[in-house]
Amino acid sequence: MSPDYVARGGLPAQTELTTDRAVFTEAYAVLPRRTMSDITTSFLPHWDKTRLWVIARPLSGFAETFSQYIVEVSPGGGSDQPEDESAAESVLFVVDGALDLSLKRASHALTAGSYVFLPPGADWTLHNSSDATATFHWIRKRYQQVDGVEVPDAFVTHEQDVEAIAMPDTDGAWTTTRFVEIADLRHDMHVNIVTFQPGGAIPFPETHVMEHGLYVLEGKAVYLLNKDWVEVQEGDFMWLRAFCPQACYAGGPGRFRYLLYKDVNRHARL
């Protein structure tokens, strides 16, 4: 069974406190897992028996380069026309259940931990032929084409088949599972999994040009966002504006893992 957190929806009880950790600022936003309720779901054309939580979208003062969905597909659900923007590239990351992917008319059985990269214009369909609900993350970005640089190929892999790389001088306390080589300039976004063992830390405030989306798959930590230390747990989503200072301390008792989006490898648009 996957250790990754799976949103289930529902509604908080009438007796629960309204106060929560949700915050939206000019530099960052935190969407706690409790905000993924039945009344915050959305639906998409050409998707049957499917609902989703939109946790990031291009918006003035918010995400500029990407959208991110948590997609829940009921048995018998799915789509033969999943994407309606020809310039959009995507990453799918499955956290629960089983899905049938058709990609260039080849079939792929997806399970928890499966990772799919889809270039713009990819020919794909996705269906749930099992008797249980399936859930996946869907990250989309408008691909920035560059003269002389090929568009990357589609691929399907699994988290277990990709070796996590330890950050220098951390003795494995901080690792990154990279599904794309960082020097592969065909790619203009990276979607990785970052893992901290208890006590692992980002020991300085990172401040850099990449926009970030972080969905916590497992565990809890204290995260520095701009000037604020924020406690986060599995199921929470964080958006960080470009140049927003960030750091992290994973206090345990278990490991802390998140799915990380960032835009890379392109000139700044002028």
Side-chain angles (χ1 to χ4, degrees):
M1 180 177 293
S2 169
D4 299 335
Y5 183 84
V6 180
R8 301 293 186 189
L11 285 172
Q14 292 285 294
T15 55
E16 290 192 25
L17 295 177
T18 301
T19 304
D20 205 345
R21 296 173 293 111
V23 62
F24 191 100
T25 75
E26 292 181 353
Y28 71 89
V30 178
L31 278 62
R33 68 188 191 187
R34 194 171 73 151
T35 64
M36 318 303 171
S37 72
D38 286 352
I39 62 172
T40 58
T41 55
S42 297
F43 302 90
L44 290 175
H46 307 300
W47 281 84
D48 298 324
K49 299 180 181 180
T50 300
R51 66 176 185 171
L52 61 151
W53 289 273
V54 178
I55 56 177
R57 54 161 287 189
L59 182 71
S60 177
F62 190 40
E64 295 182 352
T65 61
F66 75 109
S67 67
Q68 185 164 346
Y69 310 149
I70 305 170
V71 186
E72 181 184 273
V73 186
S74 295
S79 178
D80 288 324
Q81 302 178 59
E83 177 60 74
D84 64 3
E85 291 197 38
S86 60
E89 59 182 329
S90 295
V91 163
L92 315 180
F93 182 71
V94 182
V95 292
D96 189 46
L99 291 161
D100 300 318
L101 170 72
S102 174
L103 178 60
K104 296 181 180 179
R105 300 187 179 179
S107 297
H108 301 269
L110 306 182
T111 58
S114 290
Y115 181 107
V116 181
F117 172 76
L118 300 163
D123 178 14
W124 63 288
T125 66
L126 194 69
H127 294 90
N128 181 359
S129 58
S130 75
D131 58 1
T133 299
T135 303
F136 68 96
H137 287 261
W138 184 1
I139 296 172
R140 302 166 63 245
K141 181 184 182 297
R142 177 175 290 274
Y143 183 70
Q144 278 185 258
Q145 194 133 16
V146 177
D147 289 342
V149 178
E150 295 182 357
V151 176
D153 296 325
F155 66 86
V156 180
T157 187
H158 194 280
E159 178 188 1
Q160 293 179 348
D161 297 329
V162 180
E163 182 180 1
I165 299 172
M167 298 297 284
D169 303 320
T170 64
D171 294 325
W174 173 11
T175 62
T176 302
T177 303
R178 297 189 176 100
F179 297 92
V180 171
E181 293 292 334
I182 59 175
D184 186 346
L185 297 184
R186 297 177 303 164
H187 289 273
D188 67 350
M189 73 169 177
H190 288 166
V191 178
N192 304 325
I193 294 176
V194 179
T195 302
F196 291 92
Q197 300 301 325
I202 300 174
F204 67 101
E206 293 185 23
T207 305
H208 45 62
V209 68
M210 285 92 79
E211 181 177 36
H212 283 43
L214 293 81
Y215 181 87
V216 183
L217 296 168
E218 183 183 359
K220 63 179 183 177
V222 181
Y223 222 96
L224 176 65
L225 300 169
N226 198 14
K227 298 179 180 180
D228 306 319
W229 283 98
V230 178
E231 193 172 22
V232 293
Q233 66 179 154
E234 55 194 12
D236 293 349
F237 175 74
M238 293 172 276
W239 164 75
L240 284 67
R241 192 172 190 162
F243 299 107
C244 176
Q246 61 165 309
C248 171
Y249 179 78
R255 63 183 184 174
F256 174 65
R257 300 168 64 244
Y258 55 81
L259 188 68
L260 169 66
Y261 160 88
K262 56 186 178 182
D263 54 313
V264 296
N265 297 340
R266 292 296 186 267
H267 277 297
R269 294 292 192 187
L270 301 179

